[in-house]
Structures are given as structure tokens and as C-alpha cells.
Amino acid sequence: MSASANARLGEQIWQKMPKINAEFFTLTYGAMVVQLMRDLEDVQLVNEKLEKMGHSIGCRLIDEFLAKSGINNCNEFAETADVIAKVAFKMFLGVSVEVASWNDEKTSCSLLVYDNPLTDFVELPPNINLYYSNVLCGVIRGALEMVQLRVECYFVRDTLRGDDVNEIRLELKEHIKDEMAEEYRRE
Amino acid sequence: MIYNMYIFNRRGTCVYYRRWHGRENDEEKQRLVFGMLYSMNELVGKLSGSISKDGMLTIKTNSFTMHQFHTASGTRFVLNTDNNAGDLRQNMYHIYAMIWVECVVKSPMWSPMSATPVDSPLFDRQLETYLEGLTCFR
Amino acid sequence: MSQFSDPDATGPMAQGVAIFGEFVENAQGVTATVAVIGKKNEPLYLRLFDEYQTKELYFQSLVFVSLDVIDECVERKAMQQDMYLGFLCPIDEYQIYGYMTNSMIKFVVVLADVHRLQDFELRDFFQKVHAAYVEYLLNPFAPLDGDKIKSARFDAAIERHVATILERPPPAPGPGAKA
């Protein structure tokens, strides 16, 4: 599917998706992050926790995504990245994301998120190594794991830290092989 | 006529089984069904050079037809019917998108890799209502 | 003694200025101070502009004096649903305007007599500052227990609204006006 077709599809599904109040959503997420900071007292742990929470969201969200989008198969990783950027981000967050900076092997790229609804109103306390929106990385990793792609996903630039754009690096590590349950291995 | 339905997770564990008509199946049969579908998918891929993009696979024998819908996330929906059911592509997709995702996947208690059978009265009810409404049900 | 200070004096401060009547020289802007005061009358934010910055304590005391006026004003206006309190009082050569939210957060500006501002302009200014304050509070990291407002974004919003609403250049000076 071509890039612009994905953008159209994303727009189309976005129209049909149920919406919630953006402030409610942003405040809920903010309250959760702040609570995590209080409970864990270590920013690095908070980053990891957010990623983990994202991972379990992603594992579920993938089915919602496949069901609503009708997409069932991507031939190559470049297509996957484009679908995430143009369809998935649009569908769940209402924003469009750009794919950029591919490496030569076409296994890693950057997702440029110009408008991150999670960070409306947010101002980080000074000198803090928090990746506020790290949940997004987890969601992407979890969702792709369910379609047999092992990826690493991390923030490179973050507008909350003064960068001009949010950049999430997405690196394909391997295609996961099907692994059968116990009962098939006995034979 | 719809005989029965299986739902397998990616690892081949049968997480849902319901029978409406035909004979009762035991666990051994479930494994055979999955094993056959798994090999069939591989074989089809090798014979035709590509696996069907929409995840559908239909196997027709003299006495029954097996419809498989395989999502990219690894879940397999299998519906066994008699030979008069016709093309159930739309219906299988509906079961996945409108019933499975809504009633099971969105439940916070469900986990995608879990091997425990799905126990959701909501899913049971909605699936039954939907299937009974199909002309090929009886 | 402040009553002896002459608002029109342009000479050095030593001339007839005492305890309260602190005269700021060379002040260009109309806005001296913008302050946010919390529910329990604790100062949340005090921002002085340009030349007025040299007299922080003085303007701080002006703001606190105005709180009493706000209390009276609120009693008088208790039945009205208007958050804009309007002109509170003149002190020395300054005029103080106030605004109070239903959650008892007070916004106060101290204005110098550089040019007259209309009520609707102040109303507009306060509403925008109020909105900026609400947005500041929506930051999940903002403290809720009456700590001072430390936010670059809030600072920027105040600066912007002061510059665009309060500090607008006076409407075309008459032909007789001398530079």
C-alpha cells in the first residue's frame, strides 16, 4: 500500500474511532507518571515502568488495530513503519507521524512525532532524566512483538527536554519464529 | 450447518471451543486440527509462493468445510461447517473484529499469550447470537 | 508622608520621597507588577517589569495592601458572578486592579500612570492570565500545595499578554504632543 493511501486510511479510521476528552486523557496520563515518580523514586525505574506498561498495552492494542484497520500483513519493515506512522498513530492519538532517517539496511528508522498529545500542558522539572512519553515506545514494541517482529524502540529527541521535535528510534532486531506450545513438542 | 468453532492462540493452544452440531471433539482432535492447519499454511505458502494476504484458508472435503481466519497477531479462528455454507470470509472477520476484540481482547483480565481457555459469558452470548442469525447456521 | 511626594516630580528620588512614595525613574511601561495570590493569601507569583524591578519590596507591599481591598470588594460583589473586580485603589502614583477566581485565587496588577487602560482591556488581560494559570495547573508536575509558580511557560504567557494587551502603544498622539 502506498504511503498516501495509508494516510487516507488513517484519516478514515480516525473519523470512526470513539473519542475521549483530550484533557481528561492527558491529565490521567500525567497523574499516573507523577504517581510513578513518587512511588519508585528513581527516574530510570519510571522510564522502564512506563515502557513496560506500554508493552502490555501494545500487546492488546494490536488486535484492536488489525480489526479496525483491516490491515493484515506487511511485506517489509518499511511498510510496517509507514503503517505505524500513518495509520496507527492517527487512529489512536489523532496525530500524523513522519518516518525518516532510514539506515542502509532498511531495518531502522525514526518516527518524528510533531504533536504529542500526551505532553500538552506538561513542563518537566529541571534536570530530570525522565522520558515522559516512554509509554509510546512500549506500545510499539508490544504491538510489533505480537506480529512477530522484535524491535527496540527508544526516544532520541523529546520536546519536553527542549528538542524541536519528538523522535522515536525504531530498530528491527529479528523476525520472531513461531514457537509451539508444550503439547506439540512432545512428539 | 455450522458444526463447531475453535480459536487457537499463536502457540497452538486451543483457547476456545464450542460445538453446535455434529460430534463432540476431544483435546486430541483440537491438536490435530491445529497441526493440520499449521502444516497446510506452510504448504500453501510453498506451493503458491505467497500466503494469502487476508489470512483466510478454506479446506473443503467431501463431508465438511473448514474455514480458517488467521490474524497477523497470531490468533486462528476455525469454523467447521457443512459444504453448503459458502464463503464465510466476512463473517469470520466480523467475529474477530466485532466480537473477539471487543469482548475478549479489551478485557483487562485477558492476556495474549495465556494458555488458559477464554471464559467470557459476554463473548459466548454475542458469538452465539451472531452465528444463529446466519442462514448457514442450521 | 507619602502624600508629600509629587507624582509629577521628575527629579532625583531624594526630592520629597519617603517611606512609601517610591518613585521609579525613567519607567517606560505601564505595567509595574503582575501578581498571583493563593487561597490563603500566600504569594504564588510576583513579577516586576523593567525599571520597576529595582523596587521589589515596595511593589510586593502594594500587592499585599490591595488584598484588603479585594476582601471588601468581594463582600460588595458577593452576589455578582463576575471574577473581574476592576479598579481596586490608587496607591501613590500607581493604580491597582484585581481579579479573583471562584477558587479564591487572586490576580493583581499594579499599573503606572503612563497611559490609561480601558476596563475591557484589563478584563481581557485577566482572563488570559487566568487561562495561563489554569494551563499551568494542568501540568502534572505543578505543585498543588501553594508553592511558588516556577514555570517558563507561565512566565512567557505573562510576558506575552502584558506586551500585547497592557503595553500597547498609546493611540496616535495628538499633533500637539511633543516627544
Side-chain angles (χ1 to χ4, degrees), chain A residues 60 63-64 67 146 148 181 184, chain B residues 10-12 73 93 96 110:
Chain A
R60 290 153 190 283
D63 271 308
E64 166 83 347
M146 299 311 288
Q148 305 298 83
Y184 296 95
Chain B
R10 184 183 283 289
R11 310 181 69 199
S73 53
Y93 188 75
Y96 166 58
W110 177 81

Side-chain angles (χ1 to χ4, degrees), chain A residues 27 30 34 121-124 132, chain C residues 135 138-141 151-153:
Chain A
L27 286 180
V34 170
F121 319 121
V122 179
E123 260 186 301
L124 287 187
Y132 185 83
Chain C
E135 191 165 302
L138 287 177
N139 175 14
F141 293 101
S151 156
R153 195 178 296 172

